């Protein structure tokens, strides 16, 4: 099989396609014939040498979508459509940047869909993170206002889609005015151009502050995001687009606005119930939900794909397809 291998941290050119044996699943593991794999900031962190616990050489990719090739434990039938994500993929064991990947059965989610594989490939990690942030991180309820900091990221756009389906008012940010239209198209009620002072813009719309905020940029933006919240409002820290993870010299009373609550979310495949995945895919097929797919690359263009990912050139999800795009 063909697989993208990273021998050591480096630039996009460090990703090289190799011929490797198809992995053989043991009991409790599932071999998946990969049809498409989404690209994520997590893989960028690994390529740059910022991820802990990675042993090189490594096939990157924290998610994959395809069909079951083998399941020795009988958990799934050969040919069954499945998605998988997280659980150490692309870090402690080889991931989804390959024609086949082998993963624990517990992190495999079945589904049924006639959507194109490259569209389905955009879904797993993006939907899991957006859904988990809204439910576990924020406990979002209909009628609330939600500020998404880092709105043109794939998770930001997926969260906006889910939030609108749940009856929330969505404020989404972008640093690039040219990307504002992409946020409007997916249903954001208010697009804020991130000039570093998003809190002021949010309070012009909601003078008492917004109910909820999803932080996807990271620690540099977090203090301003917190200032946008009302008393008893909740901020969920989920993403680190800035690659800056730590709050140094954290003094809670000085850092947190009075009465504002800070939570965090980092989840796994079992945070995304199969029924939730199926309902979302059915809604996309029916035209009542949108998957923010930005660009699809063949496996041979993985270097260009990672360069685009690092440069943040487009709004939405980037996908590597193992098949010819539909």
């Amino acid at each position: 099989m063909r697989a993208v291998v990273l021998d050591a941290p480096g630039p996009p050119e460090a990703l090289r396609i190799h011929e490797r044996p198809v992995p053989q699943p043991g009991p409790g593991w599932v071999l998946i014939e990969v049809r498409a794999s989404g690209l994520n900031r997590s893989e960028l962190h690994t390529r740059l040498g910022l991820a802990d616990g990675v042993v090189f050489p490594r096939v990157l990719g924290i998610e994959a979508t395809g069909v079951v090739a083998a399941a020795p434990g009988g958990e799934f039938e050969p040919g069954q459509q499945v998605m998988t994500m997280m659980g150490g993929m692309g870090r402690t064991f080889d991931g989804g940047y390959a024609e086949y990947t082998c993963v624990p059965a517990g992190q495999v989610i079945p589904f049924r869909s006639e959507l194109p594989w490259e569209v389905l490939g955009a879904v797993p990690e993006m939907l899991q993170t957006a859904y988990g942030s809204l439910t576990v991180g924020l406990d979002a309820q209909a009628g609330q206002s939600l500020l998404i900091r880092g709105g043109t990221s794939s998770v930001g756009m997926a969260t906006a889609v889910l939030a609108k389906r749940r009856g929330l008012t969505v404020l989404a940010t972008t640093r690039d005015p040219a990307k504002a239209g992409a946020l409007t198209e997916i249903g954001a009620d208010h697009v804020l151009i991130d000039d570093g002072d998003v809190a002021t813009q949010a309070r012009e719309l909601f003078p008492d502050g917004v109910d909820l905020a999803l932080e996807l940029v990271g620690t540099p933006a977090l203090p301003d995001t917190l200032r946008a919240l009302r008393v008893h409002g909740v901020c969920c820290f989920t993403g680190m687009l800035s690659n800056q993870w730590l709050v140094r010299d954290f003094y809670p009373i000085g850092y947190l606005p009075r009465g504002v609550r800070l939570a965090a979310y980092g989840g796994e495949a079992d945070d995304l119930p199969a029924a939730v995945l199926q309902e979302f895919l059915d809604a996309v097929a029916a035209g009542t939900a949108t998957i923010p797919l930005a660009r699809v690359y063949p496996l041979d263009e993985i270097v260009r794909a990672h360069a685009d990912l690092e440069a943040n050139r487009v709004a939405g999800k980037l996908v590597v397809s193992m098949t010819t795009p539909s």
Side-chain angles (χ1 to χ4, degrees), residues 14-65:
L15 297 168
R16 296 185 175 91
I17 297 176
H18 291 263
E19 286 289 337
R20 280 194 161 194
V22 174
Q24 299 301 306
W29 287 67
V30 177
L31 178 65
I32 298 172
E33 181 182 350
V34 180
R35 300 296 176 82
S37 179
L39 273 67
N40 302 279
R41 302 293 293 189
S42 174
E43 293 132 20
L44 173 60
H45 296 159
T46 301
R47 178 172 62 73
L48 294 174
L50 301 176
D52 294 329
V54 181
V55 178
F56 297 101
R58 178 62 69 216
V59 177
L60 300 190
I62 66 169
E63 61 179 317
T65 300

Side-chain angles (χ1 to χ4, degrees), residues 302-314:
I302 188 63
V303 170
R304 182 166 74 92
H306 254 251
D308 289 347
L309 176 69
E310 188 167 3
N312 193 29
R313 292 192 175 105
V314 294

Side-chain angles (χ1 to χ4, degrees), residues 7-322:
D7 291 312
E13 291 75 16
L15 297 168
R16 296 185 175 91
I17 297 176
H18 291 263
E19 286 289 337
R20 280 194 161 194
V22 174
Q24 299 301 306
W29 287 67
V30 177
L31 178 65
I32 298 172
E33 181 182 350
V34 180
R35 300 296 176 82
S37 179
L39 273 67
N40 302 279
R41 302 293 293 189
S42 174
E43 293 132 20
L44 173 60
H45 296 159
T46 301
R47 178 172 62 73
L48 294 174
L50 301 176
D52 294 329
V54 181
V55 178
F56 297 101
R58 178 62 69 216
V59 177
L60 300 190
I62 66 169
E63 61 179 317
T65 300
V67 297
V68 173
E75 299 90 348
F76 300 94
E77 294 293 328
Q80 193 170 5
Q81 291 179 301
V82 292
M83 294 182 180
T84 184
M85 70 214 77
M86 312 297 284
M89 284 185 70
R91 289 190 173 184
T92 59
F93 59 90
D94 288 338
Y97 287 14
E99 292 176 327
Y100 289 86
T101 188
C102 194
V103 303
Q107 67 182 68
V108 178
I109 308 173
F111 68 92
R112 299 176 307 281
S113 180
E114 295 183 0
L115 292 169
W117 283 110
E118 62 269 19
V119 174
L120 294 167
V123 172
E125 188 274 343
M126 180 175 66
L127 183 64
Q128 175 260 314
T129 305
Y131 177 78
S133 295
L134 284 174
T135 55
V136 177
L138 292 170
D139 190 26
Q141 304 295 321
Q144 291 183 309
S145 53
L146 168 66
L147 169 65
I148 303 174
R149 191 74 177 259
T152 53
S153 65
S154 61
V155 171
M157 296 179 79
T159 303
V161 171
L162 293 185
K164 291 303 299 178
R165 290 177 58 78
R166 289 170 168 260
L168 280 77
T169 298
V170 173
L171 300 76
T173 74
T174 177
R175 291 179 297 172
D176 184 355
K179 295 180 181 179
L183 295 174
T184 302
E185 288 177 7
I186 61 168
D189 298 285
H190 306 281
V191 177
L192 309 182
I193 305 303
D194 192 343
D195 59 0
D197 186 9
V198 167
T200 296
Q201 298 180 58
R203 285 183 176 273
E204 288 175 355
L205 297 166
F206 295 86
D208 293 332
V210 296
D211 299 308
L212 308 170
L214 177 61
E215 180 58 70
L216 298 172
V217 173
T219 57
L222 182 58
D224 182 57
T225 300
L226 291 168
R227 288 192 292 270
L229 286 159
R230 63 169 174 82
V231 173
H232 297 164
V234 180
C235 175
C236 178
F237 189 96
T238 292
M240 293 158 287
L241 296 169
S242 63
N243 292 344
Q244 296 185 43
W245 305 356
L246 300 179
V247 177
R248 302 198 180 277
D249 301 320
F250 178 62
Y251 172 53
I253 292 176
Y255 191 89
L256 295 171
R258 185 171 63 94
V260 168
R261 301 164 181 178
L262 176 61
Y265 176 75
E268 297 291 345
D270 56 8
D271 284 347
L272 180 61
V276 172
L277 170 61
Q278 190 64 56
E279 188 276 335
F280 179 73
L281 295 178
D282 291 344
V284 173
T288 59
T290 302
I291 295 174
L293 173 61
R295 190 169 293 172
V296 180
Y297 306 82
L299 188 63
D300 291 335
E301 295 184 9
I302 188 63
V303 170
R304 182 166 74 92
H306 254 251
D308 289 347
L309 176 69
E310 188 167 3
N312 193 29
R313 292 192 175 105
V314 294
K317 186 78 171 186
L318 306 182
V319 170
V320 171
S321 174
M322 309 302 167

